[in-house]
């Protein structure tokens, strides 16, 4: 699917999905004096209602979607899934605070399952927010925080490009339902037998999981070294097998605990299930390629 | 009683999974020792009964061996990858069944096998004659084995699994397991007497005591669950302590930082009202974060919570004069309305006390308009009223200058068809009314 530009200078109908009303009020100030309109939704579960009641029945042009809505509330992945289903025309920009240590897997999942145009930091200045909205208004995806079209790359990859390039790591991290169950068990247990018991699998499955996922965590650590949650020291190669397995399990447990909010998000069950089903049916991967 | 769903929690299950592994190992070793003892007793059996006795011992021996192997993942792994297909299948079954609320092969073999062994000592055709000590020790070993196996059944982690709770039928049967097992053992031991074939060599008291002791598995399990409950409560108390400590950290780090910021902002005359308001709101947010931590989750977004947080922006010696009317306290707000009230209320209260008011009366209401012609109920209005006994302000204060705090609030509320209106009170002072249409989401 190709992203068509909004007609420059036309009204951009913006939807802010963020539990913090001040984000909406700040953005309202940013677009003051422009023809753009803004509606705020505090909870992803309210999205169907908000989309149905959208002024004039017209879809929103742009949705700024937060990732974290607090404990007990669905995450931005649910918000994006609802938007994708009910308002596929709406272009998505993820907004997030840079300090959120557990956001990496959410961001990878966002780019793996959906088609966000970019990533906007909540620390962005009013001018930066305005620039981003203007860029989307023009259909220009080369701005800061946006997906840059291929062929115009500078030497260093932008954070968004790095996320897109590495969405495959998420598939390696969670290859099937058993992986998901094991990750959830590893959040709470760091002993092989306990992990096996809690996830109803045998120890050899846990061993294979430890070996495979340690490798993936290493890759994530190498790709996103700035992520503070990733500073997990790999066990030395010369360690005895059993000891190394235990060290790696403890390491995975720390990783899982950092990202426990992601692993416990019910949205990922549905998203991955649909992805695996599509893969089994030989269908295309959900993520599109950008031009 | 057992099967209490309050124990099907994440913490209890996590505790259970942690104790099950070592207890299984200890239990398997203990039962293996019982079976070895039973084998040794065969030395005192009549020679003619030995082939039969050895054959009857085989089933339970196989069961105990499997249970022991189950506690050794390395051995199980080797068997599962071995050349012999039946062993591979058995090992696969033992690995898969270990953590589920189901009967696995080792459990079945141990259970049935021990009944078969018991038939050497009692039942319709027991081995006779047996020396009295052999008879008694045999029954003791059978009972000891059964105690261990059933204790494991009664306290298995799967009873407490909140994600995959055990079947209702199993839960209902659980309290009856000890009595059922005791009844089976008693029936077998006493059947020679009942059938009149021969007298029990040790009278009735020893077998009855031994078999009857199995009924004690029920109070044993109940005591076990009392311990689990105690562990759960200890966890809750520890969690509360951690939350309290964290809330102190929030207070010390964030609130002190916010106070410093507010002092700085107040001293800087070039800073706008919106920035001052944002700085003040840091205290409200910090208090909300503190309350969230203390409560272990997001608190209900009531006016009472908001008011407690807003009071944090008022100097301690002025708080006594700040009053929220009783009817407002329990009012629960939608998230957007709560966010708007959180933006509006601290500003209005701060304006009042800074203007010299000694008493500030606050009320928050939902006003429901009449249904429209089509019968649909329109969205209610939210009103926040702040009345004070201060020197008063002009009625047009909300529209005085573009960057005054009331004007900024007025702008914000316009997004929700709302406005801020200030009016003089009859007896002196000011009443500021912020009003907006309740957000539908």
């Amino acid at each position: 699917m190709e992203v068509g530009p909004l007609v420059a200078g036309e009204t951009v109908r913006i939807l802010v999905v963020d539990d913090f009303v001040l984000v909406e009020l700040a953005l309202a100030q940013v677009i003051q004096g422009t023809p753009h309109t803004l509606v705020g939704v505090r909870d992803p579960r309210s999205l169907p209602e908000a989309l149905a009641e959208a002024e004039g029945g017209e879809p929103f042009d742009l949705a700024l979607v937060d990732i974290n809505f607090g404990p007990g509330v669905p995450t931005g992945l649910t918000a994006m899934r609802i938007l994708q289903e009910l308002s596929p025309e709406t272009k998505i920009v993820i907004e997030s605070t840079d300090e959120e240590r557990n956001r990496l897997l959410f961001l990878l999942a966002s780019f793996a399952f959906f088609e966000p145009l970019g990533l906007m930091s909540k620390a962005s200045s009013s001018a930066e927010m305005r620039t981003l909205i203007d860029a989307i208004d023009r259909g220009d995806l080369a701005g800061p925080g946006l997906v840059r079209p291929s062929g115009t790359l500078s030497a260093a990859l932008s954070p968004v490009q790095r996320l897109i390039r590495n969405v495959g790591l998420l598939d390696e991290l969670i290859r099937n339902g058993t992986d998901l169950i094991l990750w959830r068990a590893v959040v709470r247990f760091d002993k092989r037998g306990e992990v096996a018991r809690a996830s109803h699998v045998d120890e050899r499955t846990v061993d294979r999981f430890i070996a495979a996922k340690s490798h993936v965590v290493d890759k994530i650590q190498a790709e996103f070294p700035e992520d503070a949650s990733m500073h997990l020291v790999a066990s030395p190669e010369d360690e005895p097998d059993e000891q190394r397995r235990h060290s790696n399990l403890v390491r995975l447990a720390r990783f899982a605990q950092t990202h426990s909010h992601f692993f416990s998000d019910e949205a990922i069950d549905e998203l991955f299930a649909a992805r695996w089903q599509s893969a089994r049916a030989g269908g295309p991967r959900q993520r599109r390629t950008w031009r | 009683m057992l099967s209490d769903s309050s124990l099907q929690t994440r913490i209890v299950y996590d505790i259970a999974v942690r104790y099950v592994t070592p207890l299984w190992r200890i239990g398997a070793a203990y039962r293996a020792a019982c079976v070895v003892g039973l084998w040794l007793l065969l030395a005192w059996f009549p020679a003619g009964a030995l082939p039969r006795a050895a054959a009857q011992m085989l089933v339970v021996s196989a069961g105990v061996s499997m249970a022991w192997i189950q506690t050794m993942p390395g051995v199980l792994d080797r068997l599962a990858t071995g050349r012999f297909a039946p062993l591979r299948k058995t090992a696969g079954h033992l690995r898969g069944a270990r953590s589920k609320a189901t009967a696995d092969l080792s459990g079945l073999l141990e259970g049935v096998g021990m009944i078969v062994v018991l038939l050497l000592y009692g039942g319709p055709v027991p081995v006779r004659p047996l020396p009295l000590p052999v008879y008694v020790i045999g029954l003791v070993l059978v009972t000891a084995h059964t105690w261990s196996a059933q204790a494991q059944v009664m306290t298995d982690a799967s009873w407490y699994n909140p994600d995959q709770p055990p079947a209702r039928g199993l839960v209902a049967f659980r309290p009856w397991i000890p009595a059922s097992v005791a009844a089976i053992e008693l029936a077998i031991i006493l059947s020679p007497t009942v059938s009149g074939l021969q007298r029990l060599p040790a009278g009735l008291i020893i077998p009855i005591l031994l078999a009857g002791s199995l009924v004690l598995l029920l109070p044993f399990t109940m005591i076990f669950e009392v311990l689990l409950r105690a562990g759960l409560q200890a966890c809750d108390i520890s969690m509360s302590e951690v939350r309290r400590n964290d809330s102190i950290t929030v207070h010390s780090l964030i609130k002190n930082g916010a106070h410093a910021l507010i002092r700085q902002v107040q001293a800087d005359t070039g800073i706008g009202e919106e920035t001052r308001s944002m700085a003040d709101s840091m205290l409200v947010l910090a208090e909300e974060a503190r309350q969230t931590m203390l409560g272990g989750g997001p608190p209900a977004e009531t006016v009472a919570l908001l008011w407690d947080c807003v009071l944090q922006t008022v100097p301690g010696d002025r708080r006594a004069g700040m009053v929220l009317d009783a009817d407002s306290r329990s009012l629960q707000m939608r998230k957007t309305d709560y966010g708007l009230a959180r933006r509006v209320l601290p500003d209005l209260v701060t304006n009042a006390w800074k203007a010299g008011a000694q008493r500030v009366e606050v009320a928050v209401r939902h006003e429901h308009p009449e249904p429209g012609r089509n019968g649909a109920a329109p969205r209610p209005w939210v009103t926040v009223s702040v009345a004070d006994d201060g020197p008063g302000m002009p009625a047009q204060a909300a529209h005085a200058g573009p960057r005054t705090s009331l004007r900024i609030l007025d702008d914000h509320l316009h997004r929700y068809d709302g406005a801020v209106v200030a009016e003089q009170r009859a007896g002196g002072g000011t009443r500021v009314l912020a009003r907006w249409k309740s957000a539908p989401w």
Side-chain angles (χ1 to χ4, degrees), chain B residues 5-68:
Chain B
S5 61
S6 71
L7 282 177
Q8 278 180 9
T9 67
R10 175 72 51 215
I11 290 176
V12 170
Y13 181 59
D14 286 1
I15 294 171
V17 167
R18 285 181 164 89
Y19 70 59
V20 155
T21 305
L23 284 189
W24 269 40
R25 199 166 292 137
I26 294 166
Y30 174 79
R31 292 197 301 281
C34 292
V35 171
V36 169
L38 286 166
W39 275 105
L40 291 176
L41 287 182
L42 297 193
W44 286 273
F45 272 49
L50 276 180
R52 170 202 161 185
Q56 280 181 251
M57 284 293 297
L58 285 179
V59 182
V60 75
S61 303
V64 161
S65 305
M66 279 186 193
W68 180 242

Side-chain angles (χ1 to χ4, degrees), chain B residues 1 75 79 102 116 122 174 190 250 264 272 283 292 315 325 378 385 400 418 428:
Chain B
M1 199 52 186
V75 177
L79 289 176
T102 179
V116 173
R174 190 181 176 204
L190 295 181
V250 167
Q264 183 60 33
L283 282 174
T292 301
D325 89 319
S385 159

